[in-house]
Amino acid sequence: MDIQRLKPHLPWITLVVLVAIVGFTDPGFLRPSNLLGLAGDIVPLFIMALGLTFAIYIGGIDLSAQSMANMVTVIASVYLASMGAWVAVFCVAAGFLLGMLSGYVTTRLFVPSFISTLAIGGVAFSIAQWLSGQRALNMDAVQRNETFGWMIGRTWGVPHELLIAAVLVAICLFIERRTTLGRALKAVGAGELAAAASGLNVARYKILAFAISGALAAIAGLLFAVKLSGGAPTIANGFLLPAIVAVLVGGTPLTGGVGGVVNTVVGTLIVAVIRASMLYFEIDATRQQMVFGIVLIVAIALTIDRAKLRTVK
Amino acid sequence: MTRRLSRETLIKWAPLLVLLALVIFFTALNPTFFSLRNFARIAIASAPALMVAVGVTFIIVMGSIDLSMEGTISLTAVAFAFIFAQFGGSLGGMGWIAIPLVLVLGGAIGLLNGIVHVKLRIPSFMASLAMGFVGTGAAILLTGGDIVKVSDAAFRGLLTVRWLGFPLMVYIAAFFLFVAWFIQTHTTLGRNFYAVGGGEDLAHASGLNVTRVRVTGFALAGVFYAIAAILVVARIGQAESVTGSNFMFVSITSVVVGGVALWGGIGGVWNALVGVLIVGVIDNGMVVIGLPDFVQDGVLGLLVIVAVVLSTDRKMVSFVK
């Protein structure tokens, strides 16, 4: 089967073809400054997608990522004044703990992950509304620049967001390729029952995967809050769909086990190019959601491993 | 054996007991909770949610899940507002045509959901989530982000005309609850939902066309979402692309809290009713006793987890994703 051999290469072929099409019709698109700007803008989304990769890699899903990012924008805006740079640690810890909670509920209480993360997302949303008093908040501009200004500047034309993304990719790649945790996650994704039968503490690794997803969603929220210099309980709404799309078009299937961090990098770039091309071809921003919804269905249909699903529920 | 029996009995009656306990609790804290006026308020808020919950109950009984309700409701609500205006904008004139048209539209969206799920073999939660995004996108496209008003007095009568203290829309919701109950208990389709939910392989082996049952289930759910959309428009007098927002969380919470097992085959429309009332009473009760309304999402989230945990027989499940 040729198509089967081609399948792992489809994501980057798609990316190259898309870039070629857009670059051909709009030469300005390929200017380095334009490409860098485009990549810089997509970084918060990318970080969220990076986290989701771990949840999807083990065959689960994290629908709380968006609420988590929302909550963190609020936490960051509220506590920046009193905690200074430590607020970043606090935010990431909050994301990590709530993610752990999702993982605990999923593995120990046998609640399917799409329900448990939806429920934890509801909790995060409540916290965000409570802390913000249901208003949009602003950070103190001077303090933001002093504490987190380094996150959003440019050095030699390279947006700093890209450097943050590169560091996170390196860390995640290290986890995926060079640690026992990465191996274990692959085993769980490839076949949970077999992993459990070979003596792996599946529950612990799954909880960790959800915790990583939560922590990265929190970092995405933090960066987003710094970029916008403020936060609100619904400010990051609209992130979840493209983030899931990024993971899936990158080639990590909903059934888990294959794909990974590098795939999500490619997937996010595909999402970025689709977005940019929609602007260029003057497709209304209001149609984006429809387009991404359809892309999502196509991506799942192409990538999902049907051999793993005995019955499709 | 006795343990299993008592467990099942408990699960069967626990939601109703929780509902009663909540009513007593809120009444104790604030006696005005227990009044016809307040019950009418709960009923009005719950009527559209009930229709959504009943629709998704059929799907959950089959062991699938439908997360498309937000998009479907937004799209059908907007479509209703437009078609209603197109046909004269009054229920007394030709405007009533919008109602059957929108029900058909809801059914068609559900049908598409089912086909994407079954034919492309995509797990239903993801297929329907994606379709929901498409639905919301289509609603944004139709309205361009604007609000469409529906101010026809006859149509708003669903909210304003009261009968024994409750507005007409509550009776309409009750009527369709009975229709759903009839489908569930007195039709082959209803039995087939349980057959698929109880054991898909067995149902298939006994010659049931599982694919068709699933697709029909999604279409039926779509019709109920459309009814919910019409009730929402009647309640707030307008339609926009965010009309359906928050219905996913509330309806799934309701159904699960009401005692419909996520694994399929257990529970039914009465569970959906009890679940919706639990959620409605909590929402309303928190306001009545003076708690801020934003606590609800968190409380409901925790409630869902507790409900799923209670309704899951741990010995039957080896692992979950």
Side-chain angles (χ1 to χ4, degrees):
Chain A
M1 284 296 279
D2 272 333
I3 188 80
Q4 288 305 325
R5 221 184 304 158
L6 195 64
K7 227 175 173 180
H9 303 292
L10 269 180
W12 66 263
I13 294 174
T14 312
L15 179 62
V16 171
V17 170
L18 278 177
V19 170
I21 292 174
V22 182
F24 186 68
T25 45
D26 175 20
F29 176 77
L30 290 177
R31 267 184 295 121
S33 63
N34 184 45
L35 288 179
L36 281 174
L38 208 64
D41 283 342
I42 201 103
V43 166
L45 182 74
F46 168 68
I47 297 176
M48 186 184 286
L50 202 57
L52 270 169
T53 310
F54 284 90
I56 297 178
Y57 195 59
I58 57 163
I61 185 84
D62 185 356
L63 297 181
S64 69
Q66 177 175 293
S67 312
M68 206 82 92
N70 276 327
M71 181 190 75
V72 165
T73 63
V74 171
I75 293 182
S77 307
V78 171
Y79 292 112
L80 176 64
S82 54
M83 294 174 77
W86 286 103
V87 79
V89 179
F90 182 57
C91 286
V92 176
F96 191 86
L97 286 176
L98 276 179
M100 262 180 83
L101 193 58
S102 294
Y104 179 83
V105 172
T106 304
T107 52
R108 306 274 187 205
L109 304 182
F110 297 106
V111 178
S113 59
F114 74 92
I115 290 283
S116 65
T117 53
L118 202 63
I120 298 296
V123 174
F125 185 57
S126 271
I127 297 176
Q129 285 185 310
W130 170 57
L131 282 177
S132 66
Q134 288 167 297
R135 285 176 296 116
L137 305 166
N138 288 313
M139 288 178 176
D140 179 42
V142 178
Q143 193 165 22
R144 179 198 75 153
N145 290 338
E146 269 176 15
T147 329
F148 294 124
W150 55 272
M151 280 187 175
I152 50 173
R154 273 172 183 256
T155 308
W156 301 311
V158 179
H160 288 175
E161 291 100 318
L162 277 186
L163 303 178
I164 297 175
V167 171
L168 288 173
V169 167
I171 295 173
C172 290
L173 255 186
F174 180 78
I175 294 177
E176 182 192 297
R177 303 265 164 95
R178 288 275 177 273
T179 62
T180 340
L181 172 62
R183 284 275 147 199
L185 292 179
K186 177 138 189 115
V188 172
E192 189 163 340
L193 290 177
S198 14
L200 210 60
N201 188 344
V202 170
R204 194 175 68 196
Y205 289 113
K206 283 179 86 170
I207 292 175
L208 262 176
F210 282 104
I212 294 174
S213 176
L216 284 167
I219 297 177
L222 182 64
L223 183 59
F224 198 53
V226 172
K227 272 182 104 130
L228 298 180
S229 191
T234 55
I235 203 165
N237 282 5
F239 267 51
L240 186 63
L241 170 63
I244 298 178
V245 170
V247 176
L248 291 165
V249 294
T252 308
L254 211 49
T255 37
V258 283
V261 171
V262 176
N263 292 69
T264 299
V265 176
V266 177
T268 311
L269 291 176
I270 293 178
V271 168
V273 175
I274 292 179
R275 267 193 178 169
S277 62
M278 281 200 281
L279 281 183
Y280 178 71
F281 292 116
E282 286 172 0
I283 298 176
D284 218 319
T286 55
R287 297 187 195 189
Q288 280 198 10
Q289 194 160 16
M290 269 181 91
V291 172
F292 278 122
I294 293 165
V295 170
L296 180 57
I297 293 176
V298 174
I300 300 169
L302 284 178
T303 56
I304 201 164
D305 182 1
R306 292 182 175 80
K308 271 192 202 161
L309 301 167
R310 205 166 51 88
T311 56
V312 183
K313 283 206 168 171
Chain B
M1 195 62 198
T2 44
R3 214 192 132 263
R4 291 265 311 146
L5 268 182
S6 68
R7 182 189 155 80
E8 268 166 23
T9 325
L10 181 73
I11 289 169
K12 199 170 173 188
W13 294 104
L16 199 58
L17 292 178
V18 169
L19 179 61
L20 289 177
L22 282 171
V23 170
I24 294 168
F25 172 73
F26 286 122
T27 310
L29 285 181
N30 187 347
T32 57
F33 176 86
F34 202 87
S35 62
L36 190 62
R37 262 178 91 84
N38 196 43
F39 287 160
R41 213 174 287 141
I42 296 175
I44 294 168
S46 301
L50 176 64
M51 293 296 97
V52 185
V54 164
V56 79
T57 298
F58 290 131
I59 311 273
I60 297 183
V61 162
M62 288 192 294
S64 299
I65 192 118
D66 187 349
L67 302 180
S68 71
M69 53 281 278
E70 295 192 353
T72 309
I73 290 174
S74 295
L75 182 55
T76 47
V78 167
F80 175 79
F82 277 131
I83 300 172
F84 193 69
Q86 195 69 40
F87 281 95
S90 122
L91 210 56
M94 295 298 280
W96 61 270
I97 291 178
I99 296 175
L101 282 180
V102 164
L103 295 190
V104 171
L105 175 66
I109 298 171
L111 195 68
L112 195 59
N113 257 330
I115 290 173
V116 167
H117 156 50
V118 169
K119 294 292 175 197
L120 297 181
R121 292 176 58 79
I122 299 176
S124 54
F125 85 91
M126 211 60 209
S128 56
L129 190 67
M131 287 299 294
F133 285 129
V134 175
T136 308
I140 298 174
L141 194 64
L142 277 176
T143 58
D146 293 336
I147 293 173
V148 193
K149 295 258 181 223
V150 179
S151 40
D152 176 41
F155 177 64
R156 294 302 303 282
L158 283 175
L159 176 70
T160 52
V161 177
R162 290 190 180 226
W163 202 39
L164 300 176
F166 291 96
L168 284 183
M169 58 187 288
V170 174
Y171 295 99
I172 289 180
F175 170 73
F176 281 104
L177 178 67
F178 273 101
V179 172
W181 169 77
F182 185 80
I183 294 173
Q184 176 190 310
T185 50
H186 286 79
T187 64
T188 324
L189 183 64
R191 303 311 307 164
N192 286 347
F193 288 152
Y194 285 91
V196 171
E200 185 164 344
D201 292 346
L202 203 59
H204 182 74
S206 353
L208 189 62
N209 187 341
V210 174
T211 308
R212 191 150 80 202
V213 174
R214 278 199 191 285
V215 174
T216 317
F218 275 91
L220 187 62
V223 175
F224 275 93
Y225 301 159
I227 299 170
I230 295 172
L231 294 184
V232 178
V233 176
R235 190 180 71 201
I236 56 180
Q238 62 188 43
E240 55 182 318
S241 53
V242 296
T243 299
S245 58
N246 214 24
F247 269 107
M248 176 165 91
F249 192 67
V250 168
S251 60
I252 299 284
T253 310
S254 304
V255 174
V256 171
V257 168
V260 181
L262 274 178
W263 319 104
I266 299 170
V269 294
W270 298 118
N271 296 83
L273 174 66
V274 173
V276 167
L277 289 178
I278 290 179
V279 172
V281 163
I282 290 179
D283 272 4
N284 175 280
M286 285 190 166
V287 178
V288 168
I289 64 172
L291 276 174
D293 58 353
F294 52 72
V295 188
Q296 289 157 14
D297 278 315
V299 171
L300 292 183
L302 298 177
L303 212 57
V304 169
I305 294 175
V306 173
V308 176
V309 170
L310 286 181
S311 68
T312 304
D313 190 344
R314 310 281 189 89
K315 292 196 199 90
M316 306 274 287
V317 194
S318 50
F319 72 99
V320 295
K321 291 254 158 143

